[in-house]
Amino acid sequence: MKRWENRVAIVTGASDGTIGGAIALDLVRNGMIAIGVARNISLVEKLKDVDSSTLKTGKLIPYKCDLTKPDEIEKMFIWVKANYGGVDVMINNAGVAVMKPILEMEVEEMKNLLDLNVIALTLFCKLAINSMLGRGINDGHIINMNSVLGHQVYGYLNFYAATKFAVTAVSEGLRKELAQKGSFIKIT
């Protein structure tokens, strides 16, 4: 983690008490500038109440963003560039599930899953990679949190599984696109 000190990570779904919140704090503890993204910024701000002596030299920067609104995501990347130079690590942690079979789902529920689990994640990947490539960063890392349902269908949460299969495809597709460019940016 030493090589990541003072470098910038964006963590989506970084609310207090979540996996994203724990990831953001761990990055800060290891000296990174972690931009914790959530719709409810007060939940990210709660993370800053952690004993600051354990946070090393890193910083947690809460950022309010509705991930279902591409213009808000794009504005965030402009802000990150203006204030921190760009992003070096992108952790796509935000996601949502609807606990219904496909036959009972409303169209708006389907659209919400696609907007957050697929479109937002893909846009974050694209903008983060462009930030890295534009600054000559060749050791950046994109981490897309996924699910076993992104690799196998079990017969429940089937539309959620479809969105997670899309995450698998996007991740593999980006890995191949970066390899074709000769880039060493990692996609996990």
Side-chain angles (χ1 to χ4, degrees):
M1 287 297 293
K2 190 84 174 146
R3 74 180 176 112
W4 295 110
E5 282 186 14
N6 298 312
R7 293 183 70 186
V8 177
I10 295 175
V11 182
T12 65
S15 302
D16 178 39
T18 65
I19 293 170
I23 290 169
L25 282 180
D26 202 43
L27 295 175
V28 170
R29 283 187 188 99
N30 283 283
M32 290 193 80
I33 298 165
I35 301 178
V37 181
R39 281 177 302 194
N40 187 343
I41 196 166
S42 67
L43 295 176
V44 181
E45 288 170 344
K46 282 184 182 180
L47 294 171
K48 293 177 84 173
D49 294 337
V50 171
D51 177 13
S52 61
S53 67
T54 67
L55 297 182
K56 227 178 167 187
T57 59
K59 289 195 305 190
L60 176 63
I61 312 296
Y63 193 96
K64 181 181 171 123
C65 184
D66 182 341
L67 304 187
T68 65
K69 297 182 178 170
D71 61 319
E72 287 191 24
I73 296 170
E74 291 168 354
K75 285 178 187 171
M76 186 195 69
F77 273 87
I78 292 167
W79 179 87
V80 170
K81 181 179 181 179
N83 289 279
Y84 297 98
V87 62
D88 303 297
V89 175
M90 178 70 242
I91 301 177
N92 284 303
N93 172 69
V96 66
V98 174
M99 305 302 204
K100 291 181 182 176
I102 292 172
L103 296 176
E104 295 175 14
M105 288 182 72
E106 301 296 329
V107 171
E108 285 306 312
E109 292 171 319
M110 293 177 197
K111 285 181 179 181
N112 188 48
L113 264 71
L114 286 171
D115 284 347
L116 186 59
N117 294 356
V118 181
I119 303 297
L121 176 137
T122 304
L123 183 56
F124 268 97
C125 288
K126 174 188 169 185
L127 294 172
I129 290 167
N130 286 340
S131 172
M132 293 173 202
L133 293 174
R135 293 176 296 123
I137 301 296
N138 208 21
D139 67 343
H141 203 144
I142 308 288
I143 299 169
N144 293 328
M145 303 298 273
N146 206 343
S147 168
V148 295
L149 292 176
H151 304 278
Q152 185 172 352
V153 177
Y154 290 99
Y156 57 90
L157 297 177
N158 297 319
F159 197 79
Y160 171 79
T163 68
K164 292 304 182 173
F165 265 83
V167 169
T168 301
V170 165
S171 299
E172 186 59 27
L174 286 171
R175 188 178 297 114
K176 290 179 179 186
E177 287 182 35
L178 287 168
Q180 288 172 348
K181 290 182 176 292
S183 174
F184 292 99
I185 296 170
K186 292 178 181 62
I187 307 287
T188 303

